[in-house]
Amino acid sequence: MNEPSGDIKSMTLYHHVDRVVNELRELGKPNDEPLRVGELTPFDQLHYHSTEAVDEAIRATGIGEGSSVLEIGSGLGGPSRYLAATSGAAVTALELQEDHHRMAVDLTRRCGLVDRVTHVCGDFLTHPWDGEEFDAVVSWLALYHIPQRAILLDRCRSLLPVGGFLYAEDLCERRPFDDDEREELASELFANYLPSSDRYRQDLADAGFEVLVCDDMSDDWTAFTRGRLDQYRQQQDRHLRVHGEEVFETMCGFYTTMVRRFSDGKLGGIRVVARRI
Ligand SMILES: C[S@@+](CC[C@H](N)C(=O)[O-])C[C@H]1O[C@@H](n2cnc3c(N)ncnc32)[C@H](O)[C@@H]1O
């Protein structure tokens, strides 16, 4: 999986960025009212365990007031806003999809965080950084979308000082996929790089990182995605009222796919903390 196959919008999670507009209406803030970071977290964190996972990154990397942080694949900007608001760090939030980027910019402005979160729209593999450096590079469920891991890690390395941290939560291969499954995952999840956890570590070592933590999140995320689907279905009436049928069906379908993929024991999850040597 070295070249991206297809289009990221083949992943249905990314179809309805207007979910956010519906949630803001439900919050009673449909126009340009100021927002608080905390009231967005139920719907702006597109990974597992919401802000707890961001707290984990802050703890593991020592990010704090005055730190500079890059988030790769920042989605709606939820983790970056929470990280900046909680730790006082300056965060650059890089996102590929323009609709998500635009929504993130607006939410950050309404949260009063423009001085601490800078949104950038681009592809991490090609974005020109012009010599910029960060104390930490962080990412939640985005790196598996990106092909060419050697280039990705080389770019991460060049953005960090010696001793700088890379924190990633990501998907990986727990047991080998066959060719058909890889093709399905390339479409359903826009999965372009799903190595085993051993390969994941080796790639980091080859790129000049010392791996400090490499946790297998597979069982945890299997349980999490099951709970998420159950909860979403239990709140069917609420979601139909707020979002309508198309969004409800799309989200149910996506959450079901994740449960099926994790439950068959082949798709896995990984959390790594590494330091540039
Ligand atoms: C599952 S979402 C997670 C978003 C965010 N990290 C969060 O946890 O809320 C992954 C994001 O990575 C972005 N992404 C994928 N490939 C990318 C690339 N090459 N450069 C920048 N962002 C990318 C996607 O567009 C998507 O918004």
Side-chain angles (χ1 to χ4, degrees), residues 41-58:
T41 53
F43 53 89
D44 73 358
Q45 308 282 320
L46 303 184
H47 58 266
Y48 306 133
H49 296 300
S50 186
T51 54
E52 280 172 43
V54 185
D55 287 329
E56 183 64 27
I58 294 171

Side-chain angles (χ1 to χ4, degrees), residues 11-261:
M11 179 159 158
T12 54
L13 175 68
Y14 301 141
H15 284 191
H16 291 287
V17 79
D18 53 322
R19 281 199 322 271
V20 175
V21 175
N22 300 338
E23 293 289 356
L24 293 176
R25 192 179 51 236
E26 182 68 4
L27 271 177
K29 300 187 175 180
N31 298 314
D32 209 25
E33 300 85 350
L35 298 168
R36 283 179 286 108
V37 168
E39 61 193 353
L40 305 183
T41 53
F43 53 89
D44 73 358
Q45 308 282 320
L46 303 184
H47 58 266
Y48 306 133
H49 296 300
S50 186
T51 54
E52 280 172 43
V54 185
D55 287 329
E56 183 64 27
I58 294 171
R59 196 195 54 71
T61 62
I63 291 167
E65 188 89 39
S67 300
S68 62
V69 180
L70 168 66
E71 184 188 357
I72 303 174
S74 47
L76 299 167
S80 287
R81 276 188 297 276
Y82 178 80
L83 205 158
T86 309
S87 71
V91 184
T92 297
L94 177 75
E95 170 52 40
L96 179 70
Q97 298 178 78
E98 220 180 296
D99 55 354
H100 283 61
H101 164 75
R102 272 191 267 110
M103 184 62 81
V105 168
D106 196 47
L107 294 174
T108 296
R109 180 185 58 77
R110 289 177 66 182
C111 285
L113 281 170
V114 285
D115 55 335
R116 264 184 280 168
V117 181
T118 304
H119 290 280
V120 177
C121 191
D123 181 340
F124 182 64
L125 289 181
T126 53
H127 183 75
W129 290 106
D130 298 329
E132 254 178 276
E133 205 172 73
F134 301 93
D135 299 312
V137 174
V138 297
S139 187
W140 289 269
L141 296 184
L143 301 187
Y144 78 95
H145 282 314
I146 306 177
Q148 301 176 308
R149 181 59 54 104
I151 296 176
L152 182 150
L153 290 179
D154 192 51
R155 295 201 119 213
C156 288
R157 190 170 188 277
S158 68
L159 291 166
L160 289 166
V162 171
F165 284 97
L166 173 62
Y167 178 100
E169 297 195 8
D170 203 3
L171 300 181
C172 63
E173 180 185 75
R174 203 177 189 187
R175 284 193 291 111
F177 299 112
D178 63 31
D179 289 346
D180 288 345
E181 287 166 331
R182 280 191 179 273
E183 220 171 282
E184 287 160 16
L185 288 161
S187 167
E188 282 170 0
L189 304 187
F190 195 60
N192 287 300
Y193 192 64
L194 286 175
S196 67
S197 60
D198 284 348
R199 182 74 248 167
Y200 210 105
R201 290 182 80 110
Q202 192 57 51
D203 287 344
L204 284 161
D206 291 348
F209 286 91
E210 179 194 4
V211 179
L212 305 175
V213 173
C214 186
D215 290 337
D216 183 347
M217 305 303 290
S218 309
D219 290 336
D220 185 306
W221 291 357
T222 303
F224 178 93
T225 51
R226 281 187 191 144
R228 179 175 68 172
L229 176 61
D230 288 347
Q231 207 184 356
Y232 199 78
R233 284 190 175 136
Q234 277 160 21
Q235 295 179 354
Q236 173 168 354
D237 292 348
R238 185 262 181 202
H239 294 316
L240 283 173
R241 176 177 57 75
V242 173
H243 297 292
E245 192 155 342
E246 198 187 326
V247 169
F248 178 75
E249 292 302 335
T250 302
M251 296 309 289
C252 264
F254 178 72
Y255 291 162
T256 303
T257 297
M258 293 316 296
V259 169
R260 182 168 53 83
R261 289 296 175 193

